[in-house]
């Protein structure tokens, strides 16, 4: 994700094409954004699978500190999901 994010930044800012009608976006930008977005969704899915047992145990309060870490992990994942969706638009 980070490499494709940096590639998007570089393509948008340094590799803009000049045509006879003015500046035009680089034709590779759409493919790089697609790779970046797919990577984001895979990352969110994998984080959800990794923390699945931890969040469920934490929210059920199986351990004394489990409730707070479960709520913290849930909040972190939801924050990443919502900010990622907002950044797409």
């Amino acid at each position: 994700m980070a490499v494709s994010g940096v590639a998007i930044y570089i393509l948008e800012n340094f590799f803009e094409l000049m045509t006879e009608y003015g500046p035009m976006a680089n034709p590779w930008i759409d493919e790089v954004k697609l790779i970046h977005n797919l990577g984001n969704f895979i990352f969110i899915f994998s984080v959800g699978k990794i923390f699945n047992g931890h969040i469920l145990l934490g929210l059920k309060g199986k351990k004394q500190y489990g409730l707070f870490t479960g709520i913290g992990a849930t909040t972190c994942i939801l924050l990443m999901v919502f900010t990622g969706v907002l950044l797409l638009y």
Side-chain angles (χ1 to χ4, degrees):
M1 287 184 321
V3 171
S4 61
V6 170
I8 290 170
Y9 177 77
I10 290 172
L11 285 174
E12 285 180 344
N13 292 322
F14 299 110
F15 289 102
E16 190 174 63
L17 302 175
M18 291 302 293
T19 62
E20 58 188 31
Y21 300 111
M24 184 181 87
N26 196 305
W28 286 93
I29 196 77
D30 292 330
E31 286 82 7
V32 176
K33 283 184 179 180
L34 176 67
I35 292 169
H36 185 70
N37 293 335
L38 289 175
N40 291 335
F41 288 122
I42 290 170
F43 175 74
I44 290 169
F45 177 76
S46 64
V47 167
K49 292 298 276 185
I50 290 169
F51 287 119
N52 186 20
H54 176 74
I55 291 171
L56 292 178
L57 290 175
L59 292 177
K60 290 179 183 176
K62 294 292 183 184
K63 296 182 178 179
Q64 183 179 6
Y65 62 89
L67 180 63
F68 298 113
T69 58
I71 290 173
T74 304
T75 304
C76 180
I77 291 171
L78 289 175
L79 184 67
M80 286 191 313
V81 169
F82 290 132
T83 56
V85 170
L86 291 175
L87 286 173
L88 288 176
Y89 297 104

